[in-house]
Amino acid sequence: MPTDHGEFLMLEPQTIPFAAPKTPVRRGSDPKQERSARTRQRVLMGAAELFTERGFRQTSVKDVADRVEMTKGAVYFHYPTKEALAVAIVEEHYARWPKLLDEVAREGLGPLETAVRMLDRAAVAFQDDVIVQAGARLQIERPQIDAELPTPYVDWIALLESLLTSAREAGELRPEVVPANAARSLVSAFFGSQHVSDVLSGRADVVERWRDLSGLLFRAMRTE
């Protein structure tokens, strides 16, 4: 996370996955592997659409196969259980955030503005990205899924606490603002607002709702 000098604070890798991915070794393309990867992504997107629309319990592997116009056997070849599909979608959901952080970091903003921009961009993802939407719903439905899913929210809290700590050191926060408390409050507000938007409008207004709430919260934290 960026400090006031434009550098990044290191976070414990087991606590937060918002770290730049390792550069893979470059190899020649394998047409079979590329076709398989495209098929897996097609299945994943179809499952994400259905999980978002219906939820985990009300979606079957046959439903997924029908959505992507494949046989059940073909779906099972790539994902042996419905739980495996759910885990893959949640993992893909979390994979969005390191990429987003990297994009925002390139803008060279201060730590507080980086926090603002990260949450603003995340709101857009919740409005437009079916993988993000499905991952969020699956996390809510985790008691129904017989598989281990990552603990939600803790990574966002760690990220924002780090950014707000840097913001305090840079003199961007009011002296009474405690970064850990503010980070927890921001995460509660953000995920609460996207959930309300989901229930009332299918997330059609999540960006607008978060913009209104974000303005109030960050105004209360900033130095005059």
Side-chain angles (χ1 to χ4, degrees), residues 87-104:
V87 169
I89 288 170
V90 172
E91 289 177 348
E92 189 70 19
H93 168 108
Y94 281 104
R96 296 297 202 259
W97 308 134
K99 297 174 185 175
L100 180 59
L101 177 58
D102 184 58
E103 291 171 4
V104 173

Side-chain angles (χ1 to χ4, degrees), residues 17-31:
F18 292 2
K22 295 180 180 179
T23 303
V25 177
R26 304 191 75 174
R27 298 181 176 89
S29 61
D30 184 330

